[in-house]
């Protein structure tokens, strides 16, 4: 078939502008080609450090996101019932006046009556600061239901984490093990890295119940049963210990594995690290009876045995407690194989391969460096085994301990920030855990004394009342979920409707699609948003303000809709204070600039938030005269705002003349400098500082000069998590702050300082299959399933199951079947897939849409045949443990346990009759 001749040398447009993509979390650099002010083409910026010119399907389809028919075009005020999509268009002055009235009334009587929650939290540095200025403790971000247990496990263990705070050493690793890696996150850097590995013959092992995307190009796929990753990691540890394949020198240098732990059952210091009067941790010294400082550089510590401290107490090294746990039969390959679905011989072989690459194929770089204690080294020794993990391990109630187990596995291999291993990305590592605690008290001016999110260190940091009960509407930072570092967005609506722990006045959401794919128990959640108070007749949640660029399912439930711009029409800040885009060898940040003007009556949400703050007179948003401090909006804020003297959102071109980096006074020309440099700033780490960052003087001095760390003291990795033991002791009755009696057993069990694997609470009845979702590489968080170009790849989803599973249930390809869970059942179409573990069924996440949303036609496949598993996932454990107060979440961090869903398959009487249905407790949806 002949094609129209193409003139490939003809310019696509009349102008090209650089900015940063927003189609996923990569935040790649892009070039936007324009003609007469309209976007004509998007390609990758070859000079950008994140993607180096590479662009994916999502990124190139950004043009169709920008011109989507689903874009909102005017502020909306509800005039009908919630959910009916009956609105009238209003002007911005009316919208902002109304929002100011609602928010002002709340702040005057009780700021905590505002629940402010953001879905796409790439503006968290702003939104969290705004919540602090407003004075509400009820703020949370997207990470609370995405991967907070993985992030928290890393931050409490090694001062960094998988994905956004670290990456594999793509250039040097010889063996990469991927654990449950989602394909829509960080996809271009991973694809670039995997290309490097494939080109030089490194082995890639994918551990995942489903083989798609990255797993499809892996050298080996290990089909594991969902939620058993921690058990498999424990079996690897068991084998490494049993065969004495452990890097003890690394553990002693960089972790607290040799620190002595007090053994005094029943005492208030049982399980705490032994310290002298000055607070120095203690260790036992080889060849002598001496107890010495654990951070001394000229001693050879012992890592096993029982020792008597100078005061007569008994103590053992932390490593011994670790070895006692993992050398038990509980973690032997033959024991764990049936639960994991991975045979024992494969487990032993994989453990052997890890050890052989780490120890027999070690890397030596002839690079001089100086450690944090002042010792000079002529070379850097690397263990070329790298690991990377994502949602497959985090979306489970045991994800925190699973991730801790993976980090300890890396540590005993000597494979954290050494050549060829997992590497930190600046500004990480931070102290483990970081020093910032969640705010919980208000100053005289109504602001919180600290940001509403942070890291709890001790029971005294919890945000609880005098009786020890949760103060936050989502119950984050309470005894139920103490380390909920990002909050628990998924539980806000249910808790508010039940009045547990109390009711709220206003729910303020930014791009958090709680009326559909961002909520568990979706049908019930939609009903809760419309629930009325029998006494007053008003809605249980009186006011809902929703900001979004698109007509999502949640718009239907808003009382006031504030239309956002697309990412090509506004300024944004990809800050090192927020979610950084650095790589392991350099620090980077970036901006977005508006490359075209809106053709609708919309405003950037960041500008709106600053405007609302000024109208409310919030401290920090108005000057001494009460006038707006940032009248020119977010672009002005990005340049002028300082978190501390000289420290702002952007690290590049600081100072009056733009010659300073990291620290410096605001530079009025800063954004112009960013635009001149492709909308990003990039600074490489000195060669001597690129590895061992937690204890490398060259790196720590460089990081301190940029204000990434406050000290050049070494960062000790927490092999033994003493912070967890503090909570366990409180549960045993020690200390001034203790849990109530009904929480003691739960806290004692889950706050174990040595990671352990536990089976998720079983669903009642006969539900033999695990049901999970996968993230398609071509769509991100379901925003793309309204995109004309991306819809050509997929317009609906199927339930995928292994052919053996299908045969066992009498299911043929394309049969319609019922997927049944304790909450009810949904009718879905099945497809067999050999790349699925036999005990698992799965589907693409959030392809299914609700009719009426996203400006899709009524008969669009997303509406007719697409479906959500979310309808079947309970947001609480009330159906499983008779206690309605606990979330269906990781008990340590509050991470939503999306992938703990258990189901069974039931045949339909007419399997070839099309039609998706939802049947839950008598309600159809």
């Amino acid at each position: 078939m002949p094609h129209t001749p193409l003139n490939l040398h003809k310019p696509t447009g009349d102008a090209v502008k650089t900015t940063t993509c927003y189609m996923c979390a990569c935040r790649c650099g892009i070039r936007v080609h324009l003609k007469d002010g309209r976007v004509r083409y998007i390609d990758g910026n070859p000079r950008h450090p994140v993607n180096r010119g590479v662009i994916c399907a999502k990124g190139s389809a950004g043009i169709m996101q920008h011109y989507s028919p689903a874009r909102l075009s005017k502020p909306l005020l509800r005039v009908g019932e919630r959910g009916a999509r009956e609105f009238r268009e209003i002007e911005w002055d009316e919208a902002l006046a109304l929002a100011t009235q609602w928010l002002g009334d709340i702040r005057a009587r009780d700021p905590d009556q505002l629940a402010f929650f953001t879905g796409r939290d790439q503006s968290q540095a702003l939104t969290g600061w705004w919540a602090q200025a407003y004075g509400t403790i009820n703020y949370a971000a997207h990470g609370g239901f995405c991967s907070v247990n993985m992030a928290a496990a890393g931050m409490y263990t090694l001062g960094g984490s998988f994905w956004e705070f670290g990456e594999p050493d793509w250039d040097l690793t010889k063996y990469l093990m991927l654990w449950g890696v989602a394909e829509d996150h960080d996809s271009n850097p991973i694809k670039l890295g995997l290309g490097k590995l494939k080109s030089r013959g490194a082995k890639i092992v994918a551990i995942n119940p489903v083989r798609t995307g990255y797993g499809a190009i892996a050298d080996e796929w290990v089909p594991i049963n969902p939620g058993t990753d921690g058990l498999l990691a424990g079996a690897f540890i068991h084998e490494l210990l049993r065969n004495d394949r452990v890097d003890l020198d690394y553990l002693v240098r960089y972790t607290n594995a040799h620190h002595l732990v007090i053994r005094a059952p029943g005492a208030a210091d049982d399980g705490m690290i032994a310290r002298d009067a000055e607070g120095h941790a203690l260790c036992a010294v080889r060849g002598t009876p001496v107890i010495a400082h654990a951070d001394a550089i000229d001693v050879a510590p012992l890592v096993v045995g029982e020792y008597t401290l100078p005061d007569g107490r008994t103590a053992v090294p932390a490593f011994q407690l670790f070895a006692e746990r993992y050398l038990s039969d509980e973690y032997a390959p033959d024991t764990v194989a049936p639960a994991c679905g991975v045979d024992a011989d494969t487990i032993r072989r994989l453990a052997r391969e890890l050890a052989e690459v780490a120890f027999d194929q070690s890397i030596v770089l002839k690079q001089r460096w100086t450690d944090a204690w002042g010792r000079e080294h002529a070379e850097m020794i690397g263990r070329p085994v790298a690991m990377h993990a994502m949602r497959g391990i985090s979306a489970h109630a045991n994800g925190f301990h699973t991730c801790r187990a993976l980090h300890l596995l890396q540590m005993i291999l000597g494979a954290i920030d050494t050549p060829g291993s997992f590497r930190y990305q600046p500004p990480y590592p931070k102290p483990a855990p970081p020093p910032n605690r969640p705010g919980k008290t208000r100053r005289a001016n109504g602001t919180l004394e600290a940001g509403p999110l942070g890291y709890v260190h001790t029971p005294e940091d919890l945000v609880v009342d005098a009786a020890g009960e949760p103060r936050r509407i989502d119950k984050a930072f309470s005894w139920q979920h103490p380390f909920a570092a990002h909050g628990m967005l998924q539980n806000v609506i249910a808790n508010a409707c039940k009045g547990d722990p109390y009711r709220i006045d206003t729910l303020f959401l930014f791009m958090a699609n709680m009326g559909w794919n961002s909520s568990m128990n979706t049908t019930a959640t939609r009903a809760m948003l419309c629930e009325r108070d029998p006494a007053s007749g008003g809605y249980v949640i009186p006011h809902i303000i929703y900001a979004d660029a698109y007509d999502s399912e949640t718009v239907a439930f808003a009382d006031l809709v504030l239309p956002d711009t697309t990412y090509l029409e506004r300024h944004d800040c990809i800050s090192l204070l927020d979610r950084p885009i650095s790589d392991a060898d350099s620090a980077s940040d970036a901006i977005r600039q508006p490359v075209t003007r809106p053709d609708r009556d919309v405003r950037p949400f960041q500008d709106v938030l600053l405007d609302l703050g000024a109208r409310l007179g919030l401290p920090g948003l108005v000057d001494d005269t009460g006038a707006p401090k940032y009248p020119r909006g977010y672009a002005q804020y990005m340049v002028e705002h300082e978190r501390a003297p000289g420290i702002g959102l952007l690290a590049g071109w600081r100072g009056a003349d733009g010659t300073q980096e990291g620290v410096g006074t605001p530079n009025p020309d800063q954004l112009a400098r960013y635009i001149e440099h492709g909308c990003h700033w990039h600074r490489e780490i000195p060669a001597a500082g690129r590895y061992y960052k937690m204890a490398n003087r060259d790196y720590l001095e460089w990081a301190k000069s940029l204000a990434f760390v406050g000290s050049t003291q070494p960062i000790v990795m927490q092999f033994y998590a003493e912070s967890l033991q503090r909570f366990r002791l409180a549960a045993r009755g020690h200390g001034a702050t203790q849990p109530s009696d009904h929480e003691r057993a739960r806290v004692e069990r889950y706050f174990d300082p040595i990671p352990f694997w536990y089976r998720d609470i079983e669903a009642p009845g006969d539900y033999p299959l695990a049901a999970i979702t996968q993230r398609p590489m071509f769509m991100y968080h379901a925003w793309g399933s309204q995109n004309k170009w991306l819809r050509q790849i997929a317009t609906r989803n199927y339930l995928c199951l292994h052919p053996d599973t299908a045969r066992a249930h009498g299911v043929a390809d394309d049969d319609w079947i019922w997927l049944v869970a304790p909450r009810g059942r949904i009718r879905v179409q099945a497809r067999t897939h050999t790349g699925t573990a036999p005990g698992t069924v799965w589907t693409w996440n959030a392809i299914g849409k609700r009719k009426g949303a996203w400006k899709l036609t009524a008969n669009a496949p997303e509406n007719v045949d697409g479906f959500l598993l979310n309808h079947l996932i309970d947001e609480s454990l009330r159906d499983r443990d008779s206690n309605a107060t606990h979330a269906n979440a990781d008990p340590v961090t509050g991470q939503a346990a999306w992938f703990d869903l258990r189901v069974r398959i039931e045949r339909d009487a007419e399997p070839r009759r099309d039609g998706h249905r939802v049947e839950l407790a008598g309600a159809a949806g």
Side-chain angles (χ1 to χ4, degrees):
M1 179 178 177
H3 294 276
T4 302
L6 298 176
N7 184 351
L8 300 179
H9 299 287
K10 183 179 180 180
T12 307
D14 52 31
V16 179
K17 294 184 179 181
T18 59
T19 189
T20 304
C21 188
Y22 193 60
M23 295 295 287
C24 82
C26 283
R27 292 147 290 169
C28 296
I30 55 174
R31 299 183 302 193
V32 182
H33 301 249
L34 303 120
K35 187 172 184 178
D36 299 326
R38 287 183 59 83
V39 179
R40 299 293 296 160
Y41 178 65
I42 297 173
D43 65 355
N45 181 356
R47 297 184 178 181
H48 197 279
V50 170
N51 57 315
R52 308 182 195 283
V54 172
I55 196 165
C56 67
K58 298 187 296 292
S60 59
I63 184 172
M64 290 303 165
Q65 204 80 357
H66 174 67
Y67 289 120
S68 167
R71 292 178 303 170
L72 296 168
S73 60
K74 190 84 174 174
L76 301 174
L77 183 66
R78 179 180 58 80
V79 294
E81 295 293 311
R82 280 189 189 162
R85 288 187 169 273
E86 295 176 3
F87 298 97
R88 69 174 175 89
E89 293 185 347
I90 60 175
E91 300 303 320
W92 273 102
D93 283 347
E94 182 181 355
L96 293 172
L98 187 58
T100 302
Q101 177 188 330
W102 292 350
L103 298 176
D105 290 347
I106 297 168
R107 191 168 191 264
R109 64 176 185 266
D110 181 5
D112 296 338
Q113 288 291 301
L114 169 65
F116 179 33
F117 293 87
T118 68
R120 289 292 298 275
D121 55 347
Q122 293 179 16
S123 298
Q124 189 173 325
L126 168 67
T127 55
W129 174 79
W130 191 95
Q132 180 182 357
Y134 185 89
T136 181
I137 58 174
N138 288 318
Y139 165 82
H142 168 81
F145 62 70
C146 180
S147 57
V148 67
N149 53 12
M150 185 175 69
M155 296 307 293
Y156 279 88
T157 303
L158 50 92
S161 75
F162 290 123
W163 183 38
E164 286 188 298
F165 307 157
E167 65 180 25
D169 191 336
W170 299 113
D171 292 317
L172 296 177
T173 192
K174 300 178 181 179
Y175 195 101
L176 174 65
M177 189 168 275
L178 298 171
W179 296 78
V181 174
E183 294 155 12
D184 65 333
H185 291 74
D186 203 27
S187 59
N188 285 336
I190 289 179
K191 285 181 284 190
L192 287 167
L194 292 175
K196 291 181 178 180
L197 268 61
K198 298 294 282 187
S199 68
R200 54 186 175 79
K203 182 170 182 178
I204 302 170
V205 177
I207 298 174
N208 200 312
V210 177
R211 187 172 197 176
T212 60
Y214 309 137
I217 66 165
D219 299 283
E220 182 172 0
W221 171 50
V222 181
I224 190 172
N225 290 332
T228 63
D229 304 77
L231 193 57
L232 181 60
F236 291 160
I237 292 170
H238 176 97
E239 285 296 289
L240 293 171
L241 289 172
R242 193 176 63 82
N243 291 285
D244 196 22
R245 300 286 261 171
V246 176
D247 192 338
L248 290 175
D249 183 63
Y250 181 93
L251 291 176
V252 167
R253 283 178 182 264
Y254 306 118
T255 83
N256 66 356
H258 59 297
H259 292 197
L260 289 173
V261 177
I262 298 165
R263 270 191 168 170
D269 56 3
D270 180 44
M272 298 298 287
I273 290 174
R275 291 178 169 83
D276 65 13
E278 286 75 41
H280 294 284
L282 302 175
C283 69
V285 179
R286 188 180 305 278
T288 75
V290 174
I291 302 297
H293 288 175
D295 59 356
I297 63 174
D298 296 319
V299 296
L302 295 159
V303 295
V304 296
E306 185 172 278
Y307 305 95
T308 302
L309 300 172
D311 60 10
R313 293 176 298 171
T314 298
V316 298
F319 183 84
Q320 176 160 323
L321 299 175
F322 167 81
E324 287 172 355
R325 170 156 297 165
Y326 285 104
L327 280 173
S328 71
D329 288 341
E330 180 182 358
Y331 291 99
D334 290 309
T335 305
V336 308
C340 291
V342 182
D343 68 82
D345 287 342
T346 298
I347 295 172
R348 282 187 279 265
R349 174 179 55 80
L350 291 171
R352 186 168 61 250
E353 289 177 2
L354 288 171
E356 287 171 352
V357 176
F359 299 114
D360 302 338
Q361 301 179 37
S362 60
I363 294 175
V364 178
L365 300 183
K366 297 299 182 181
Q367 172 64 58
R368 301 190 67 85
W369 66 287
T370 304
D371 67 30
W373 299 274
R375 294 174 295 190
E376 295 187 356
H377 303 264
E379 58 191 22
M380 294 175 165
I381 299 174
R383 307 295 185 195
V385 170
M387 296 186 185
H388 191 60
M390 208 30 225
R391 280 182 57 84
I393 67 166
S394 69
H396 293 283
N398 58 22
F400 177 86
H401 281 287
T402 290
C403 193
R404 280 259 305 145
L406 288 179
H407 289 322
L408 269 59
L409 172 60
Q410 293 172 288
M411 287 182 194
I412 66 173
L413 290 167
I416 293 177
D417 216 57
T418 64
S421 71
F422 166 88
R423 302 180 67 192
Y424 294 108
Q425 297 171 335
Y428 299 91
K430 302 283 189 181
N436 54 303
R437 275 86 156 171
K440 58 181 180 177
T441 61
R442 281 186 279 272
R443 303 184 182 102
N445 64 1
T447 63
L448 287 178
E449 93 284 7
L453 302 181
Y455 296 92
V456 165
H457 290 223
T458 70
E460 287 69 32
D461 297 330
L462 292 176
V463 186
V464 294
D465 62 21
E469 297 303 316
R471 283 182 52 207
R472 286 177 52 111
I473 188 64
D474 59 359
K475 303 185 182 179
F477 306 120
S478 72
W479 287 107
Q480 293 193 9
H481 305 283
F483 289 1
H486 296 165
M488 297 171 61
L489 175 59
Q490 71 276 8
N491 289 98
V492 174
I493 294 168
N495 290 357
C497 286
K498 294 169 190 166
D500 178 19
Y502 48 80
R503 296 276 177 87
I504 59 171
D505 180 282
T506 297
L507 178 62
F508 189 2
L509 298 172
F510 170 45
M511 288 193 79
N513 196 11
M514 304 309 293
W516 198 243
N517 59 284
S518 290
S519 66
M520 296 169 147
N521 195 4
T522 304
T523 300
T525 299
R526 293 168 63 84
M528 291 177 205
L529 290 169
C530 300
E531 188 173 328
R532 292 186 178 272
D533 185 338
S536 67
Y539 288 111
V540 170
I541 301 176
H543 302 118
I544 298 176
I545 305 172
Y546 187 52
D548 203 328
Y550 304 100
D551 191 3
S552 72
E553 285 86 356
T554 302
V555 167
F557 300 94
D559 303 306
L560 177 64
V561 179
L562 305 177
D564 194 10
T565 62
T566 74
Y567 70 100
L568 298 178
E569 299 168 325
R570 65 169 181 257
H571 283 97
D572 269 335
C573 184
I574 296 87
S575 173
L576 286 158
L577 300 180
D578 201 341
R579 300 172 68 176
I581 56 168
S582 304
D583 59 54
D585 290 328
S586 60
S588 301
D589 63 14
I591 67 166
R592 292 190 183 93
Q593 63 162 326
V595 299
T596 187
R597 293 182 178 180
D599 57 0
R600 310 161 319 286
D601 191 12
V602 297
R603 296 184 184 181
F605 175 69
Q606 292 89 336
D607 288 5
V608 170
L609 200 61
L610 292 169
D611 188 345
L612 283 173
R615 290 169 183 252
L616 292 165
L618 300 185
L621 287 111
V622 293
D623 62 22
D624 293 339
T625 70
K629 192 170 182 179
Y630 306 105
R632 298 191 303 279
Y634 191 51
Q636 181 184 6
Y637 172 89
M638 287 163 57
V639 171
E640 296 181 5
H641 177 72
E642 292 180 286
R643 290 298 166 89
I647 300 175
L649 270 72
L650 294 168
W653 297 285
R654 299 194 67 81
D657 58 0
T659 59
Q660 295 173 275
E661 295 180 302
V663 182
T665 57
N667 169 19
D669 295 323
Q670 187 180 39
L671 295 188
R673 300 290 80 76
Y674 269 84
I675 292 169
E676 288 172 5
H677 290 82
C679 289
H680 70 273
W681 168 82
H682 182 75
R683 183 175 174 185
E684 293 191 351
I685 303 169
R690 294 189 176 179
Y691 293 97
Y692 309 104
K693 296 184 185 76
M694 61 282 186
N696 183 320
R697 190 175 71 183
D698 300 276
Y699 172 77
L700 292 168
E701 288 179 347
W702 178 85
K704 188 172 186 292
S705 74
L706 294 169
F708 297 163
V709 295
S711 165
T712 57
Q713 290 298 305
I715 294 167
V716 179
M717 292 189 286
Q718 301 299 294
F719 188 87
Y720 182 86
E722 188 180 30
S723 53
L724 274 76
Q725 184 65 14
R726 293 189 181 99
F727 285 82
R728 179 174 261 190
L729 288 171
R732 292 174 178 171
H734 300 292
T737 304
Q738 299 177 22
S740 54
D741 289 343
H742 65 275
E743 299 289 358
R744 290 184 188 274
R746 177 182 165 95
V747 173
E748 174 157 5
R749 182 186 183 203
Y750 294 116
F751 278 74
D752 194 315
I754 300 291
F756 71 106
W757 183 82
Y758 51 90
R759 186 176 295 280
D760 309 317
I761 298 173
E762 296 287 354
D766 179 24
Y767 300 95
L769 300 172
I772 64 172
T773 59
Q774 291 286 108
R775 294 297 185 90
M777 194 177 289
F778 51 87
M779 291 184 186
Y780 177 69
H781 281 273
W783 307 117
S785 45
Q786 49 133 338
N787 186 296
K788 288 184 178 180
W789 286 1
L790 298 179
R791 290 184 69 214
Q792 295 179 55
I793 301 173
T795 56
R796 52 83 51 95
N797 54 328
Y798 297 85
L799 185 76
C800 298
L801 62 165
H802 191 275
D804 291 347
T805 307
R807 279 191 292 271
H809 291 84
V811 175
D813 255 341
D814 292 328
D815 276 359
W816 285 85
I817 61 175
W818 289 97
L819 195 65
V820 185
R823 291 206 58 77
R825 64 181 192 166
I826 58 176
R827 191 173 188 266
V828 299
Q829 195 169 20
R831 283 276 175 92
T832 56
H833 179 235
T834 56
T836 300
T840 300
V841 297
W842 69 277
T843 190
W844 291 126
N845 179 65
I847 300 294
K849 295 299 182 190
R850 180 76 176 181
K851 289 183 180 180
W854 303 99
K855 294 295 189 290
L856 296 172
T857 61
N859 62 348
E862 292 90 342
N863 294 337
V864 177
D865 299 320
F867 65 92
L868 281 179
L869 283 182
N870 304 43
H871 296 289
L872 301 178
I873 306 172
D874 199 350
E875 82 283 346
S876 80
L877 299 180
R878 59 181 176 272
D879 291 337
R880 288 185 265 173
D881 69 358
S882 72
N883 190 335
T885 66
H886 292 111
N888 180 15
D890 185 319
V892 180
T893 66
Q895 160 69 44
W898 300 101
F899 292 178
D900 287 349
L901 177 63
R902 306 292 298 185
V903 298
R904 69 171 181 264
I905 291 172
E906 290 181 355
R907 295 273 295 152
D908 186 84
E910 299 180 82
R912 292 291 163 167
R913 180 174 57 84
D914 291 342
H916 165 59
R917 292 207 305 277
V918 178
E919 296 182 359
L920 303 172

